[in-house]
């Protein structure tokens, strides 16, 4: 989706990787990883998109045409690494399950790949104005990637404001089940965030959560 919605991000990613000696391959047959459908509860549609993703990328890994799959999006990478195996639990999807594990083990978020795999912490880039870094939820919670983007930014930004700690009060989980198809679709709503701590202590059934 990067090439369709934010092509400048894709071009910048290619330029950055090539700067450090990476040969970039862009399979034109690739499409969305399926995360939007997955998050909306459309597991069947997400599974079809995941199959296509694996049909495109797994042969490249299997043939040694590429060594890694890199995306400038924590959400997309989290989908591939954490949720693809869930989509292929059925015995009839055994081939795709095996392929999803191979792909998950070689898929990286951009900053993770730069720092952990290439050993890069200084990209020879600079930004003179003030910047506040907000760690996206999937990058931090699902991939546990936190220090890598901060280390890269520390060497590129003159004034880097740390992201403020956000206090979250979460009411009891709201759950809606869509039953128009045999596969159960579940939507869970968890989050009510504040920029400052609530003025009163949350009730016991509304846990106060700090990141």
């Amino acid at each position: 989706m990067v090439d369709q919605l934010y092509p400048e991000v894709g071009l910048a990613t290619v330029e950055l990787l090539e700067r450090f000696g990476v040969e970039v391959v862009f399979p034109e047959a690739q499409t969305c990883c399926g995360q939007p459908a997955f998050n909306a509860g459309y597991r069947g549609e997400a599974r079809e998109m995941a199959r296509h993703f694996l049909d495109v990328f797994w042969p490249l890994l299997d043939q040694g045409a590429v060594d890694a799959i890199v995306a400038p999006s924590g959400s997309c990478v989290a989908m591939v690494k954490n949720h693809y195996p869930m989509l292929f639990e059925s015995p009839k999807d055994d081939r795709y399950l095996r392929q999803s594990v191979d792909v998950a083990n070689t898929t990286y978020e951009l900053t993770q790949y730069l720092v952990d795999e290439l050993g890069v912490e200084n990209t020879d880039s600079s930004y003179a104005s003030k910047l506040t870094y907000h760690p996206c939820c999937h990058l931090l919670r699902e991939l546990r990637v936190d220090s890598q983007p901060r280390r890269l930014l520390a060497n590129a930004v003159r004034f880097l404001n740390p992201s403020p700690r956000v206090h979250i009060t979460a009411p009891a989980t709201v759950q809606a089940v869509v039953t128009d198809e045999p596969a159960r679709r579940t939507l869970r709503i968890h989050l009510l965030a504040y920029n400052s701590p609530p003025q009163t202590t949350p009730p016991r059934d509304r846990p106060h959560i700090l990141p």
Side-chain angles (χ1 to χ4, degrees):
M1 294 178 67
V2 166
D3 60 317
Q4 298 296 319
L5 300 178
Y6 302 103
E8 67 280 5
V9 174
L11 292 172
T13 298
V14 171
E15 179 185 348
L16 186 59
L17 291 171
E18 289 181 340
R19 185 184 303 175
F20 295 101
V22 177
E23 179 184 353
V24 178
V25 176
F26 182 86
E28 294 188 4
Q30 66 178 295
T31 58
C32 174
C33 67
Q35 189 206 44
F38 181 85
N39 288 351
Y42 291 92
R43 297 296 174 88
E45 291 82 351
R47 189 175 296 109
E48 286 303 310
M49 301 187 80
R51 287 192 184 113
H52 178 74
F53 185 97
L54 294 171
D55 287 341
V56 171
F57 284 98
W58 184 83
L60 295 175
L61 291 168
D62 186 54
Q63 297 162 10
V66 300
D67 300 309
I69 300 168
V70 180
S73 166
S75 297
C76 297
V77 172
M79 177 66 188
V80 173
K81 293 182 77 69
N82 296 344
H83 300 299
Y84 270 19
M86 183 190 308
L87 289 174
F88 300 116
E89 292 177 337
S90 170
K92 68 179 182 180
D93 283 321
D94 181 65
R95 175 169 66 90
Y96 282 108
L97 177 60
R98 288 184 281 106
Q99 291 181 3
S100 72
V101 172
D102 290 343
V103 168
N105 289 334
T106 50
T107 300
Y108 303 88
E109 186 272 334
L110 176 60
T111 64
Q112 180 186 35
Y113 185 72
L114 286 170
V115 175
D116 296 345
E117 299 301 311
L118 300 184
V120 173
E121 293 193 16
N122 190 331
T123 61
D124 298 323
S125 304
S126 62
Y127 185 77
S129 299
K130 291 185 177 181
L131 183 148
T132 297
Y133 170 67
H134 169 70
C136 76
C137 194
H138 290 144
L139 184 69
L140 182 63
R141 308 297 185 203
E142 294 198 18
L143 295 179
R144 304 296 182 185
V145 172
D146 186 31
S147 66
Q148 297 92 326
R150 294 179 187 274
R151 283 145 73 181
L152 291 167
L153 286 170
N155 287 316
V157 180
R158 184 176 179 185
F159 303 103
L160 177 63
N161 298 324
S163 179
R165 292 178 65 83
V166 177
H167 295 256
I168 299 173
T169 297
T173 297
V174 177
Q175 179 170 300
V177 180
V178 182
T179 57
D180 59 331
E181 288 189 8
R184 193 176 79 171
R185 300 170 177 176
T186 302
L187 171 65
R188 292 184 175 90
I189 304 172
H190 292 282
L191 186 63
L192 178 62
Y194 295 83
N195 288 327
S196 59
Q199 298 302 309
T200 59
T201 302
R204 291 183 180 275
D205 63 339
R206 296 189 178 186
H208 193 54
I209 305 169
L210 292 177

